[in-house]
Amino acid sequence: MSIRVRYAPSPTGEPHVGNLRSALFNWLLARRHGGRFIVRIEDTDQSRKVEGSVAQTLDALRWLGLDWDEGPEAGGAFGPYYQSQRLDRYHEAADRLLAACAAYTCTCTPQRLADLRKAQQKRKQPPGYDGRCRKLSPEERAQEREAAGAHVVRFAMPEAGETLVEDAVRGQVRFENPLLDDFVILKSDGFPTYHLANVVDDAAMEISHVLRAEEWLPSTPRHLQLYRALALRPPIFAHLPIILGADGGKLSKRHGATSVAHYRAEGYLPEAMLNFMALLGWSLDDKTTYLSREELVAGFALKRVGKTGATFDLDRLEAMNGHYVRALAPDQFAERLRPWLEDGLPPSVVRPLDGARLRAIGPLVQERIKRLTEVVDLTDFFFLEEPLSYRNKDLMGKGFRDNPSGALHALETTRATLAPLSTWDAGAIESALRALAERLELKPGHLFTPIRVAATGKTAAPPLFETLALIGRTQTVQRLDAAAGRLARPDD
Ligand code: GLU
């Protein structure tokens, strides 16, 4: 069987981790077996449509490197790939079901349905349609349709027996038919519901496997009944385990951001995100944490998808990201920094940034950052021409606490030592400053604090000697002078 899988997002907002985890697992299955990965936009719920959501979804897929073989922008032989452009197919299916008495028109008003729900709640019964219109004769239904003006079409679920879902992850799951109500398949606005459109399209697009989140499992017996009534062959189903927040509840906004765009904006690398998401419900062997895209593709198997909930552990994601940041080749790392710096540095800094400078800075910070966003704050002083601002408290540090004249002396003697240095490189700077510390009878750390703060404007910065070497003699001396000037005035 050739594998055809799909990612079927509803454009109701920014794609979140749960959604894209489904996309990823489908993509992996397709790539593992040389199949096709299809994107289908399920945009039949007009009231929940959010402008820009499709573009965000496609962007997220591109960012993660989940390329699709058919779908928006890609085209394909089974299009169109927007459900809103396939309405005739759903009507045709609904007509067939009506003709076969597997569906019926329903004119119950929203008010009646609300009252029904309330009464069911009161009696502690499961909510669901009570089949009022199903019991009418065809003539009565026709009369009611005429009188009401608007109607929906409902599927006539079998009233007895059970529906067995054979799930590739969970095994056999049984659903009792009497507990499944006659759900709507065509709404009064002429649009299909998710159930009808999803089934019609999965069949029409020859989808072989449906990998989707566990929350859809209760829909699957309904879908199976639709397949049966339409005489269509169902795909293989695999429901992916629920994603949990750190507190054990289903991952949701209250756990913090869940949109993938958020993590992208926070400086996570797509390769880390991909690896992290792959482990939300799947594992190669219970011990391997780091898997490249190629290793994921080679190792992916449905039988290794778990049944139990997978926890979204932000600390794990952060640690993984640090791993992938450190694993980048130096040149690659430098180029990854570019957009963050060009975005984050003040407008006075000339763009595009110099590639050689980025490559020189890279090694000073690559080991120290977990997320690319951190780089702006950690390296801005390498790019700024304007004077930095200082607090005397920082310039004095622990070594010169409440001792501005001591810190001032340290800066002045440093200036006198560095300004005439014959070679300007990290080694020469280090020897000169260590000798100075000895001469002044200061602990090196105590002397280096005011120098570091003067040169960078920060108390924590990349390694000092390399930093000074890269900043250059002129700017180092200027900044030592400016910091000395600052020490002459009290803190505000
Ligand atoms: N449109 C559904 C969603 O937004 C698709 C569910 C499915 O894969 O069947 O998740």
Side-chain angles (χ1 to χ4, degrees), residues 6-12 19 22 26 40-43 48 83 194 198 202 210-213 215-216 223 237:
R6 66 1 178 231
Y7 171 45
S10 302
T12 54
N19 267 322
S22 297
N26 279 290
R40 180 177 74 224
I41 306 298
E42 302 211 321
D43 56 349
R48 293 182 61 221
Q83 289 189 325
Y194 156 70
N198 195 264
D202 281 346
V210 166
L211 276 52
R212 62 184 171 201
E215 67 193 86
W216 300 105
H223 295 185
F237 289 99

Side-chain angles (χ1 to χ4, degrees), residues 400 409-421 423-455 463-469 476-477 480:
F400 298 103
H409 184 62
L411 289 179
E412 284 171 350
T413 46
T414 300
R415 183 202 203 279
T417 305
L418 293 184
L421 210 60
T423 2
W424 188 263
D425 64 27
I429 294 169
E430 175 166 11
S431 320
L433 292 181
R434 289 199 187 278
L436 177 63
E438 220 161 286
R439 187 155 62 75
L440 297 177
E441 296 181 7
L442 288 172
K443 283 190 185 161
H446 289 178
L447 171 63
F448 298 163
T449 297
I451 304 173
R452 172 179 305 108
V453 175
L464 180 62
F465 315 117
E466 284 83 355
T467 298
L468 297 183
T476 299
V477 169
L480 289 169

